[in-house]
Amino acid sequence: MKITFHGAAQRVTGSCSLVECGKKKILVDCGMIQGDDDAHELNREPFPFDPKELDALVLTHGHLDHVGRTPRLLAGGFRGPILTHAASAQLAEIVWRDSVRLSVYDGEPLYTDSEVDQVAKLIQPMKYNSAQEIDGVNITLRDAGHILGSAHVVIEHKGKRVMLSGDIGQGNTPIIRDPTREWDKPLDAVVIESTYGNRLHKGRPETVAEFRDIIKQAVEQKGMVLIPAFAIGRTQELLFQFNAMVNSGELPRVPVLLDSPMAERVTAVYRSHRECYDKETWKMLDSGDPPMNFQGLRELVSSDESKSVKKMAPPAIVIAGSGMCTGGRILHHLKDFLGRESTTVIFVGWQGHGTMGRRLVDGVEKVRIHGQDVKAKANIKTLNGFSAHADQAALLEWAKHVPGPPKQWLCNHGEEDAAAQLATELNQAGFQKATAVEPEQTFEI
Ligand SMILES: [Zn+2]
């Protein structure tokens, strides 16, 4: 077996790993490259392998940086199959449709809606823990605890087994189960993500408590609360937290407005895939308390509904995209409410360099929205403890439960320092032998 890292080596986007099992070629993830000035060009470059030679594509989960370039494989002659969890299949399609719109560069989208139609037909949805065979290669998905449907991928060929972690959840993420600790067979090699290979998160319980306090205070002051949030994962966790606050009486009669058509579609997928829920969520369902539904929640579908928020009398809570304020309906709400001292803006996710979200977090006095200067008088809060990724301690703990012992640990999906630091920590903890991978590097298993 051989693994080549065609993406997410020394970086956190563009996941794309080629696993060769004899003559069979399995690609794991085909993600969008994001964040770089030349990302548009990089995403349009030909793949460094021949898409028509692929025997299958496996998608670990539905995030853009893991699935975003998939429709581009078609032009190179790829004809499937695409294996992924049934929930990830639905999320991936939502993400691809969104990308058709967002990826336009020089008047050209990265791919078209009709290519998305074609690629969606190649999907063979899978369940966790049941193997699928592709010409002598066995593929199994295990719960990764990152977002709905997220999976570690185990590839088995002629007695050798390699696992690609995909993104690994932090544990105690609401709604979904934690990363699995139940493995049946020993593994020879593991590709481990290292997004936070050199960092520790603030604890989730403290973050949730802080979040509740901020909301309570803002509501008491009769202010507007704006929460820029990513559509997949974070929005659903926020709904879960608001449901808990309504149940405990901490959030009486305050409208919570979900104002993102994409997040609404994703939430519908989250609501329908109950087989992915953890025990606590099942307990809530059994007691008649749907975890992402509560009195006061309104989903704003049309743009007219979205525009009506402007005329509302606060307090009200608005969850809208995009998560870094680079576009989407949140911009209209910021234009209307950022200039008021009574408004609270809560950032619940990482803000990339150069984004409006980052500028607000950094405390700028004004921002320019739709050609208009808007003073940033609102109270800006940042919460960093909602991460869907395992931090360094959680990654090491996760690694301890992997059976083998694997003889190779390959750290990808992390900036250079993060991947290198995780490799060092793994080696020091006695794992044999950990390496931070380089772009286009190939490893023999
Ligand atoms: Zn992810």
Side-chain angles (χ1 to χ4, degrees):
M1 264 179 160
K2 273 196 305 192
I3 304 183
T4 306
F5 293 92
H6 291 304
Q10 298 177 340
R11 64 192 306 158
V12 292
T13 66
S15 272
C16 189
S17 307
L18 183 65
V19 181
E20 291 171 81
C21 308
K23 289 205 166 89
K24 296 289 153 201
K25 292 183 179 179
I26 314 285
L27 191 69
V28 178
D29 285 341
C30 193
M32 193 83 89
I33 298 159
Q34 297 167 275
D36 304 63
D37 292 340
D38 56 351
H40 282 293
E41 282 94 359
L42 294 174
N43 284 316
R44 281 162 169 78
E45 277 181 6
F47 291 102
F49 49 84
D50 188 349
K52 67 174 173 295
E53 287 180 1
L54 296 176
D55 294 282
L57 166 66
V58 186
L59 298 175
T60 58
H61 65 288
H63 272 149
L64 182 66
D65 60 324
H66 291 258
V67 305
R69 277 186 295 165
T70 303
R72 287 208 62 241
L73 292 169
L74 289 174
F78 174 68
R79 294 296 175 264
I82 300 173
L83 308 179
T84 192
H85 190 280
S88 300
Q90 287 179 282
L91 295 179
E93 193 173 339
I94 294 171
V95 166
W96 292 329
R97 303 237 177 252
D98 194 51
S99 292
V100 171
R101 211 169 36 83
L102 292 182
S103 68
V104 175
Y105 182 64
D106 270 353
E108 286 289 319
L110 193 54
Y111 38 81
T112 62
D113 263 315
S114 96
E115 283 173 305
V116 174
D117 292 342
Q118 287 175 55
V119 93
K121 284 186 194 136
L122 304 178
I123 295 178
Q124 294 181 9
M126 288 178 72
K127 292 178 179 165
Y128 290 123
N129 307 325
S130 59
Q132 174 112 357
E133 199 211 305
I134 302 284
D135 301 328
V137 181
N138 270 312
I139 293 159
T140 314
L141 306 180
R142 303 275 178 192
D143 234 312
H146 169 62
I147 58 165
L148 192 83
S150 63
H152 308 313
V153 177
V154 179
I155 299 179
E156 182 176 358
H157 181 246
K158 293 191 173 166
K160 283 243 165 108
R161 271 179 292 275
V162 58
M163 186 246 290
L164 295 94
S165 74
D167 289 353
I168 303 172
Q170 168 73 355
N172 292 325
T173 301
I175 306 163
I176 56 170
R177 288 186 293 269
D178 287 351
T180 191
R181 291 190 169 176
E182 286 163 29
W183 300 95
D184 49 1
K185 294 172 189 164
L187 293 154
D188 297 289
V190 177
V191 176
I192 179 172
E193 69 119 325
S194 54
T195 314
Y196 292 102
N198 56 353
R199 270 181 287 171
L200 296 175
H201 297 321
K202 195 167 188 179
R204 198 173 216 95
E206 292 98 297
T207 303
V208 170
E210 208 179 325
F211 176 73
R212 287 183 176 208
D213 285 344
I214 295 169
I215 295 288
K216 277 189 281 185
Q217 213 177 359
V219 168
E220 271 163 29
Q221 289 168 355
K222 303 213 181 313
M224 208 65 172
V225 180
L226 305 181
I227 312 180
F230 292 105
I232 307 179
R234 196 59 40 86
T235 291
Q236 292 71 37
E237 169 157 11
L238 293 175
L239 296 182
F240 180 95
Q241 300 300 350
F242 283 123
N243 177 53
M245 289 183 79
V246 169
N247 287 347
S248 67
E250 287 167 283
L251 195 66
R253 290 189 293 279
V254 177
V256 177
L257 312 171
L258 178 56
D259 190 21
S260 157
M262 183 174 172
E264 284 156 27
R265 285 194 290 276
V266 171
T267 303
V269 176
Y270 260 75
R271 285 179 182 140
S272 69
H273 281 277
R274 296 179 170 195
E275 79 282 10
C276 297
Y277 290 0
D278 61 11
K279 273 192 212 127
E280 294 80 6
T281 306
W282 270 106
K283 220 186 240 176
M284 291 173 74
L285 280 175
D286 287 342
S287 69
D289 177 21
M292 289 165 277
N293 250 329
F294 49 88
Q295 215 180 1
L297 174 63
R298 267 180 60 204
E299 298 186 14
L300 309 182
V301 181
S302 69
S303 64
D304 281 347
E305 281 178 289
S306 178
K307 282 176 196 152
S308 71
V309 174
K310 188 179 182 173
K311 295 184 197 110
M312 280 181 74
I317 296 159
V318 184
I319 306 169
S322 72
M324 297 189 199
C325 309
T326 49
R329 292 182 176 182
I330 193 71
L331 293 183
H332 296 278
H333 303 310
L334 285 169
K335 199 163 80 179
D336 295 335
F337 295 103
L338 186 66
R340 297 188 193 176
E341 279 173 13
S342 60
T343 299
T344 303
V345 184
I346 313 177
F347 287 96
V348 290
W350 185 77
Q351 301 298 310
H353 293 280
T355 62
M356 188 184 297
R358 171 58 74 94
R359 289 200 293 281
L360 288 170
V361 165
D362 287 345
V364 290
E365 282 179 12
K366 62 179 181 193
V367 286
R368 202 160 173 83
I369 304 173
H370 300 148
Q372 206 176 304
D373 279 336
V374 183
K375 284 190 178 154
K377 287 190 179 167
N379 194 5
I380 310 280
K381 300 279 188 183
T382 311
L383 295 173
N384 289 322
F386 278 123
S387 181
H389 283 271
D391 64 7
Q392 188 192 65
L395 287 169
L396 289 167
E397 185 59 29
W398 177 86
K400 274 189 212 160
H401 290 85
V402 174
K407 290 176 271 310
Q408 257 175 308
W409 291 83
L410 305 172
C411 304
N412 79 333
H413 200 290
E415 301 291 346
E416 211 172 333
D417 287 353
Q421 174 101 43
L422 182 65
T424 304
E425 293 288 333
L426 284 166
N427 285 322
Q428 279 173 359
F431 293 89
Q432 299 288 329
K433 125 183 195 286
T435 312
V437 307
E438 288 171 25
E440 302 303 320
Q441 204 175 1
T442 300
F443 292 83
E444 195 81 42
I445 307 299

